[in-house]
Amino acid sequence: MTWGRGDRTSPAMKASDADILIIPGYTNSGPEHWQSRWQAKLSTARRVEQAEWAKPVREDWVARVVEEVEAATKPVVLVAHSLGVATAIHAVPHLGSKVAGAFLVAPPDVANPSIRPKHLMTFGPYPRDPLPFPSLLVASRNDPFGSYEHADDIANAWGSFIIDAGDSGHLNAESGHGPWPEGGMVFAQFLSRLKP
């Protein structure tokens, strides 16, 4: 498993070289969430807006990701959290070659019948095909929406590099990950290993 195609001698991608697509999960990411903070800080970041944040329809959410990727003028880096991860993965077969990499955080176990709301199961199960671009998955040991073992299993299927975030809950503002400076450093390292 690798998190970049390039070697140390190839030029490193910077945030300004990419269209960074922020893909929030169920009910969107609030102003304190690290996704919202990154969007405000990164000049080339934009959010994939959904018509129905509280009643997600998988086909509609996936279609919005595909639209935003198609509209991109630079290589795309996906930054997905929670149900946004499921959305991004379901979109992969329709994304063409514009995506340079994906930074995936706190994937919920959408095939687990005990997930709440149950409606989230309409996003499961995850496709298990290897991803056609470098990817990094950050998972917590005590995420209420999905076990670390589940995250490790899908990371292996996708060929994603996995980072163990320890006991970090759902890696959102509620679990104390509003600013999330560690995540920002990992994202910068991930970007630097992608080809511009």
Side-chain angles (χ1 to χ4, degrees):
M1 289 183 291
T2 61
W3 55 341
R5 290 184 285 240
D7 57 41
R8 297 276 180 199
T9 58
S10 61
M13 179 178 277
K14 300 183 292 296
S16 58
D17 297 325
D19 274 335
I20 297 169
L21 288 189
I22 305 287
I23 308 172
Y26 176 63
T27 70
N28 201 351
S29 293
E32 296 306 310
H33 194 289
W34 59 267
Q35 281 189 312
S36 300
R37 292 168 184 250
W38 290 13
Q39 182 181 349
K41 193 168 79 173
L42 299 167
S43 63
T44 61
R46 68 182 189 278
R47 181 174 306 237
V48 177
E49 295 288 351
Q50 300 292 352
E52 285 289 347
W53 286 110
K55 292 181 181 173
V57 176
R58 185 171 101 183
E59 294 73 21
D60 295 347
W61 277 39
V62 167
R64 286 291 300 121
V65 171
V66 174
E67 285 170 22
E68 289 291 352
V69 170
E70 287 175 350
T73 57
K74 300 177 179 180
V76 173
V77 177
L78 308 175
V79 177
H81 177 259
S82 193
L83 197 63
V85 174
T87 306
I89 297 300
H90 283 296
V92 167
H94 314 287
L95 296 183
S97 60
K98 281 190 175 180
V99 176
F103 186 80
L104 311 169
V105 181
D109 186 350
V110 286
N112 182 344
S114 66
I115 199 167
R116 294 292 178 269
K118 266 186 147 5
H119 181 72
L120 303 186
M121 286 186 71
T122 60
F123 282 71
Y126 285 101
R128 297 183 62 85
D129 301 319
L131 298 180
F133 41 73
S135 57
L136 186 149
L137 190 150
V138 182
S140 163
R141 291 277 173 180
N142 63 344
D143 189 331
F145 297 101
S147 69
Y148 185 84
E149 292 71 27
H150 166 260
D152 190 46
D153 176 57
I154 55 175
N156 280 324
W158 298 338
S160 300
F161 187 90
I162 187 166
I163 289 189
D164 182 344
D167 293 337
S168 298
H170 195 48
L171 289 155
N172 57 6
E174 289 73 22
S175 66
H177 296 84
W180 199 31
E182 303 88 350
M185 288 188 290
V186 172
F187 181 62
Q189 288 175 350
F190 176 65
L191 269 183
S192 75
R193 293 171 184 239
L194 300 179
K195 286 185 179 173

